[in-house]
Amino acid sequence: MQERTLIDDPGRAPAREPGAAVPAAPPSLSRLTHDLNQPLSAINNYAQAGIQLIDNGMGDLPRLKQLLEKIAAQCGRATALSQEIGKTGAASPPAAQKS
């Protein structure tokens, strides 16, 4: 029995040449990526601020609660976007594959 490698896989896309341009993402994909990255960046920023407050001995509970509420709101925003993407993806027919 012969072992197959990724190189032997006929369904695998050919490798790009070193230095070749990466194909641009469709505008809708770029917008979705941007829209999802916004709440994720905010979540990271609020969490980092909370960590800094604690590290500097300034982590009073009301301020930390406020940061956690902001994190929860941004998680809700990202979840809503993810659900919308799921609905759109389920409603759209799969893209035609090129031979």
Side-chain angles (χ1 to χ4, degrees):
M1 185 160 160
Q2 184 179 15
E3 184 177 326
R4 290 187 59 156
T5 65
L6 289 176
I7 295 171
D8 298 331
D9 186 356
R12 184 172 183 233
R16 286 185 292 116
E17 292 293 321
V22 176
S28 59
L29 182 58
S30 295
R31 185 186 65 72
L32 288 174
T33 301
H34 172 75
D35 289 351
L36 188 55
N37 278 333
Q38 281 189 320
L40 294 176
S41 293
I43 290 166
N44 182 53
N45 289 338
Y46 292 136
Q48 291 298 322
I51 291 168
Q52 284 183 338
L53 287 173
I54 291 169
D55 286 347
N56 293 331
M58 299 169 25
D60 62 289
L61 290 179
R63 179 67 180 130
L64 292 174
K65 181 179 183 236
Q66 182 183 29
L67 290 171
L68 289 171
E69 288 169 342
K70 288 181 176 186
I71 289 171
Q74 294 299 320
C75 284
R77 184 177 168 200
T79 299
L81 180 60
S82 174
Q83 290 172 346
E84 189 62 33
I85 292 168
K87 288 178 191 174
T88 303
S92 321
Q97 292 185 3
K98 294 181 181 178
S99 301

